Amino acid sequence: MSTFVKFIIDGKICLSEEGKQLIEAAKENDIYIPTLCNYPGIPPKGSCRICTVLINNRPATACTTKVTENMDIKTSTPELEDFRKAVIELLFSEGNHFCPSCERSGNCELQALAYRYKIAVSRFPYFFPERSVESWHPKLIKDHNRCILCKRCIRGIKNNDGKTIFAYGRRGQYLEINIDPETSKNISDELAEQAMNICPVGAILVKERGFITPIGKRKYDYNIIGSEIENQ
Amino acid sequence: MGNTINAVIKKYNGDETRLMDILLDIQTELGYISDWTIEQISKALDIPTVEIIQTLSFYHFFHREPKGKYTIYLNDSVVSNFYGKEEVKKVFEEEAGIKFGQVTPDGLIGLFETACIGMSDQEPAALINEQPFPSLTPEKARKIIKMMKEGKSIEDIKGNKYGEGNNSHYLMRSLVNNNIQERGAVIFSDYTPGDAIKKVVKELSSTDIIEEIKKSYLRGRGGAGFPTGLKWEIARKAQGDIKYIFCNADEGEPGTFKDRVILTELPKLVFEGMIIAGYAVGAKYGILYLRNEYRYMREYLEHVLQEMRDDGLLGKFIGGKKGFDFDIRIQCGAGAYVCGEESALIESAEGKRGEPRDRPPFPVESGYLNRPTVVNNVETFCTAVKIILNGAEWYNRMGTKESRGTKVLSVSGDCERPGIYEVEWGFSVNDILRKAGAKTHEVLAVQVGGPSGSCISEKEFNRILAYEDLATGGSLIIIGKKRNLIKDVVLNFQKFFMEESCGSCVPCRVLTVIYKNIIEKIVRGEGRSSDIENLQKWAVFMKNNRCGLGQTATNPTITAIKNFKFIFEESVKNNSENFYSFNENEAVKEYVEIFNKK
């Protein structure tokens, strides 16, 4: 039997199992904490920082924090909201994100967050970096222009032997995600599809397939990201 | 080649957590790590190539292409630039006939730049095939390249003017000087190796040691100042039968070089501190994480460890006591400042890229190989030994209320006597300037605690070095009035952080680039006052990065703007916010010329 704990988010009393990821525990209490790198069921790695909240007035990422009794959490202060907005803008400045020509448009979490935060243009200078589109893999396309380096594919996608398929290369501004030619060689169609779907943006695509759901019927075409949690 | 690779892998029992050592040894043998080599390692260790590349491509001393029979890494630190790095660089380029970042077509010489190599008191300095060449001049650079072309060995090129003290030891033979300007009562006081271990064996339990360290109020000397006794106590109480003691000798903060000198002159004091920590915590294994820039000391340090084993101070039955077992291995880094952060250091020692971990859990609960791990700075271990020998009461008589004892400072820059000063906490910046022979009226600024610390002006020179006032990991770079603060200092530091960010957290990865670009724009004379405002405003986003590097990576800019606003304002004053500089006639001039020709 798991123990339930009481904690407070923005003054609201919440209940959840002890030790649960804060971001998931908040969801159970109809509170949406935005994220790009967290994905239910895979180990968290606070890398996007968007889910930063204040816990007893100290910043911490909600994806890597476990809830404990009487935790006092603030998630919607003006400073935190502006920080989140800034992170999204930084991602738009850093990569090449051209929504109108992107296959993922409408199902893209980065795009959806930009709408949620009403971002028309980034306050930061755009890098317009030169990045490649890798298409050597028999089943996958890796578009480095769109990759936000959230590590979801690295953490969540392993082959049948449990071996790594995706891994980081280099560091800092040159950080990239690479595909292993050997371990990814015989991946199933299902795994390829899973890799495409785990990606929050359109950086991993399945060749000759793309997305079945037409534009107009996609998840965030009419609904704001997070509203499915907030409007429960 | 295949044999070399297999032999190296066998040496480490095919253990993938020793990937750093495997790569370092193979690179030493083969010169670089080719794609073919990566495949062989992948097969032998049964890990994907992409994972090997993940580690390998993170560290800037690993090369995937030939890097030259002679590889020169010229220090690009602020102080190196103060003392003529550019002239030396020019000579290297001219004589070798290539640019930095290139290798000569015959594969003889490779020229590279690197961040601070811990020689700020004897700049400009370079590492050549891992051997330090301090105090370079254009003449010396010319001679070095000439000797390389003649095929001379590194030993020949070095010559025999070795530095003082153990720098001349036959296993080190280094040109480096210690420049110990002031010996204090703690680190550099008289010391007989093994005395503290004898005392521990005879009369102290593990809890006695922890109590004594707690009573001394010793705080970690790496910069963060966490109470050492408390850290040891948590680790002692942590669950698990295997625990580890790490000594953090990844001294990467530009301008800091005290650990280099301590390791050169007092290695046994450092190791004895680790052994005592092991006894207190209940750990049997210690790892000294040595930055790659100090790899030239490795053989000598291994020799010291063997001496200690031979003297019964290391290994089994330490001090003749049953059950007191502890041994130490040396782990070298491969060039990454962020590995000075304790959890990144642990990741690196496990053979991975040096990306800081999310906390909690803290290393004292779950660190190296997920076991309770104590990570302390070189100076912290040394201090602990002296506290055990002389007692907390003795230690508490020195320093200030919040900062007991002494601090070893690395002083460099525009002064007459750069080097190491061990002083009691509580000295003012002015006191240090006087000791170092800096003329106060010629000093523009002092960078306290390296780029992640702060750049202070004359107004604050009376502040005291202590946790309650100006806390510091121990470096002071003195910046003279003849320097261009923004170009020579701030830009260099922002470039440093941009290059050293691991890239995991978005604000750190992206904003370090933006800060460097804006500072560069101001240096070019194209900055606007809104740029200065933005630099001040956006720094707040860095506070939410995961590690200390990310959280402080804009400090060079914001502390410089705070204390030297007039310099920034002066450099943007001619540029209006509006685009009035856009001149329509000027912009279409070429078009009009062509049009009018017809």
Side-chain angles (χ1 to χ4, degrees), chain A residues 135-150:
Chain A
S135 60
W136 55 267
H137 192 273
K139 287 191 178 148
L140 297 173
I141 292 172
K142 180 81 184 66
D143 189 341
H144 294 282
N145 291 290
R146 301 169 183 167
C147 183
I148 58 167
L149 305 158
C150 67

Side-chain angles (χ1 to χ4, degrees), chain A residues 158-230:
Chain A
K158 308 276 164 176
N159 75 4
N160 283 341
D161 305 329
K163 288 234 150 62
T164 297
I165 291 177
F166 298 94
Y168 268 163
R170 310 212 273 175
R171 71 181 185 208
Q173 61 172 320
Y174 302 112
L175 188 67
E176 61 194 4
I177 290 179
N178 296 317
I179 309 177
D180 191 276
E182 268 311 303
T183 57
S184 70
K185 198 157 70 184
N186 299 315
I187 56 165
S188 64
D189 290 349
E190 290 74 37
L191 195 66
E193 179 111 4
Q194 237 179 307
M196 175 168 75
N197 289 330
I198 206 171
C199 179
V201 293
I204 300 172
L205 301 172
V206 175
K207 275 190 175 168
E208 296 173 20
R209 192 172 147 85
F211 299 92
I212 295 170
T213 316
I215 286 175
K217 292 189 174 172
R218 292 186 174 182
K219 211 171 164 190
Y220 309 119
D221 279 340
Y222 297 104
N223 300 312
I224 292 170
I225 189 169
S227 60
E228 70 279 13
I229 296 165
E230 291 162 322

Side-chain angles (χ1 to χ4, degrees), chain A residues 44-49 52 59-61 64-65 79-80 82-83 86-87 90-91 93-94 123-125 127 147-151 154 158 163-175 178-183, chain B residues 46-51 53-55 57-60 335-337 347 353 355-360 498-507 509-511 513-514 517-518 534 538 540-547 551:
Chain A
K45 181 80 218 179
S47 69
C48 75
R49 316 306 290 176
T52 300
T61 43
T64 59
T65 303
E79 292 79 20
L80 283 173
D82 188 49
F83 168 72
V87 171
L90 285 169
L91 286 169
S93 285
E94 181 198 28
R123 79 190 80 170
F124 307 103
F127 292 13
C147 183
I148 58 167
L149 305 158
C150 67
K151 261 188 157 179
I154 297 178
K158 308 276 164 176
K163 288 234 150 62
T164 297
I165 291 177
F166 298 94
Y168 268 163
R170 310 212 273 175
R171 71 181 185 208
Q173 61 172 320
Y174 302 112
L175 188 67
N178 296 317
I179 309 177
D180 191 276
E182 268 311 303
T183 57
Chain B
D46 191 28
I47 52 172
T49 54
V50 85
E51 266 185 33
I53 294 167
Q54 179 168 252
T55 296
S57 62
F58 184 82
Y59 300 93
H60 67 255
Y337 165 75
E347 287 280 301
R353 74 195 296 273
E355 182 177 318
R357 292 178 179 175
D358 292 301
R359 284 167 297 183
M498 178 185 80
E499 281 163 4
E500 297 299 333
S501 165
C502 86
S504 181
C505 299
V506 178
R509 182 177 75 230
V510 189
L511 276 169
V513 180
I514 292 173
N517 286 344
I518 295 179
N534 287 337
W538 295 341
V540 67
F541 303 134
M542 299 296 276
K543 300 286 167 249
N544 296 334
N545 284 313
R546 190 190 299 146
C547 79
Q551 287 158 9

Side-chain angles (χ1 to χ4, degrees), chain A:
Chain A
M1 262 279 302
S2 43
T3 337
F4 274 72
V5 288
K6 194 183 75 184
F7 54 99
I8 299 162
I9 301 181
D10 291 338
K12 180 186 167 183
I13 296 170
C14 302
L15 279 175
S16 182
E17 280 169 59
E18 185 173 15
K20 195 163 206 138
Q21 255 181 300
L22 173 55
I23 201 162
E24 293 298 319
K27 205 187 273 180
E28 283 173 9
N29 290 277
D30 306 336
I31 293 169
Y32 172 65
I33 301 175
T35 178
L36 276 174
C37 69
N38 189 59
Y39 195 83
I42 62 171
K45 181 80 218 179
S47 69
C48 75
R49 316 306 290 176
I50 291 174
C51 72
T52 300
V53 295
L54 293 177
I55 297 173
N56 304 326
N57 289 319
R58 293 179 66 103
T61 43
C63 64
T64 59
T65 303
K66 292 170 175 169
V67 279
T68 53
E69 180 75 18
N70 291 329
M71 207 176 234
D72 186 11
I73 302 134
K74 289 189 187 74
T75 176
S76 54
T77 68
E79 292 79 20
L80 283 173
E81 290 291 16
D82 188 49
F83 168 72
R84 289 176 188 141
K85 192 167 180 238
V87 171
I88 298 156
E89 290 173 37
L90 285 169
L91 286 169
F92 272 95
S93 285
E94 181 198 28
N96 294 313
H97 300 281
F98 304 116
C99 302
S101 63
C102 178
E103 294 86 337
R104 198 71 196 261
S105 185
N107 269 343
C108 171
E109 292 174 42
L110 179 66
Q111 180 193 37
L113 277 171
Y115 279 124
R116 183 182 170 103
Y117 283 94
K118 300 187 171 64
I119 296 168
V121 67
S122 172
R123 79 190 80 170
F124 307 103
Y126 286 88
F127 292 13
F128 299 119
E130 259 186 59
R131 292 195 186 164
S132 66
V133 182
E134 273 182 48
S135 60
W136 55 267
H137 192 273
K139 287 191 178 148
L140 297 173
I141 292 172
K142 180 81 184 66
D143 189 341
H144 294 282
N145 291 290
R146 301 169 183 167
C147 183
I148 58 167
L149 305 158
C150 67
K151 261 188 157 179
R152 274 193 195 174
C153 56
I154 297 178
R155 291 174 286 144
I157 305 292
K158 308 276 164 176
N159 75 4
N160 283 341
D161 305 329
K163 288 234 150 62
T164 297
I165 291 177
F166 298 94
Y168 268 163
R170 310 212 273 175
R171 71 181 185 208
Q173 61 172 320
Y174 302 112
L175 188 67
E176 61 194 4
I177 290 179
N178 296 317
I179 309 177
D180 191 276
E182 268 311 303
T183 57
S184 70
K185 198 157 70 184
N186 299 315
I187 56 165
S188 64
D189 290 349
E190 290 74 37
L191 195 66
E193 179 111 4
Q194 237 179 307
M196 175 168 75
N197 289 330
I198 206 171
C199 179
V201 293
I204 300 172
L205 301 172
V206 175
K207 275 190 175 168
E208 296 173 20
R209 192 172 147 85
F211 299 92
I212 295 170
T213 316
I215 286 175
K217 292 189 174 172
R218 292 186 174 182
K219 211 171 164 190
Y220 309 119
D221 279 340
Y222 297 104
N223 300 312
I224 292 170
I225 189 169
S227 60
E228 70 279 13
I229 296 165
E230 291 162 322
N231 302 336
Q232 287 269 316

Side-chain angles (χ1 to χ4, degrees), chain B residues 32-106:
Chain B
Y32 69 106
I33 297 164
S34 68
D35 289 353
W36 184 83
T37 303
I38 293 171
E39 274 173 43
Q40 304 312 305
I41 302 171
S42 159
K43 277 182 203 145
L45 295 178
D46 191 28
I47 52 172
T49 54
V50 85
E51 266 185 33
I52 296 167
I53 294 167
Q54 179 168 252
T55 296
L56 162 69
S57 62
F58 184 82
Y59 300 93
H60 67 255
F61 286 120
F62 284 135
H63 285 257
R64 293 177 69 181
E65 304 279 336
K67 59 177 168 43
K69 185 182 162 206
Y70 302 100
T71 314
I72 300 177
Y73 280 101
L74 182 58
N75 194 357
D76 187 33
S77 73
V78 161
V79 183
S80 182
N81 278 286
F82 280 5
Y83 285 91
K85 175 222 147 193
E86 277 306 314
E87 288 79 49
V88 171
K89 180 179 170 178
K90 220 176 110 207
V91 170
F92 275 139
E93 288 187 331
E94 278 168 11
E95 297 296 314
I98 50 169
K99 293 276 166 208
F100 267 73
Q102 295 176 338
V103 179
T104 53
D106 58 1

Side-chain angles (χ1 to χ4, degrees), chain B residues 153-291:
Chain B
S153 73
I154 280 292
E155 287 307 312
D156 282 344
I157 299 173
K158 257 162 62 176
N160 54 12
K161 290 197 181 112
Y162 306 133
E164 84 267 36
N166 289 335
N167 287 299
S168 299
H169 190 277
Y170 75 101
L171 287 171
M172 196 134 62
R173 290 191 303 248
S174 106
L175 307 176
V176 176
N177 275 306
N178 290 328
N179 295 329
I180 304 171
Q181 306 287 3
E182 186 167 331
R183 290 167 189 271
V186 179
I187 305 291
F188 289 108
S189 60
D190 290 341
Y191 161 69
T192 313
D195 276 3
I197 288 175
K198 275 180 210 138
K199 184 174 181 185
V200 163
V201 166
K202 213 155 70 187
E203 54 196 84
L204 299 175
S205 71
S206 60
T207 41
D208 291 340
I209 294 174
I210 289 172
E211 277 315 306
E212 199 64 23
I213 300 292
K214 279 171 89 175
K215 263 195 279 174
S216 75
Y217 297 100
L218 172 60
R219 297 169 70 163
R221 293 295 192 249
F226 191 83
T228 307
L230 182 61
K231 192 182 259 188
W232 291 9
E233 186 173 45
I234 301 169
R236 194 180 79 82
K237 288 181 179 161
Q239 295 291 318
D241 45 354
I242 300 177
K243 295 174 185 179
Y244 294 98
I245 306 294
F246 268 68
C247 176
N248 186 344
D250 193 45
E251 182 179 51
E253 190 74 39
T256 311
F257 46 88
K258 66 178 179 76
D259 294 345
R260 183 198 80 219
V261 178
I262 295 174
L263 284 166
T264 303
E265 292 307 319
L266 298 162
K268 287 186 179 169
L269 181 60
V270 180
F271 294 140
E272 191 162 2
M274 293 174 72
I275 297 162
I276 288 169
Y279 182 86
V281 164
K284 296 194 180 317
Y285 309 96
I287 293 178
L288 172 80
Y289 188 100
L290 188 67
R291 70 186 303 223

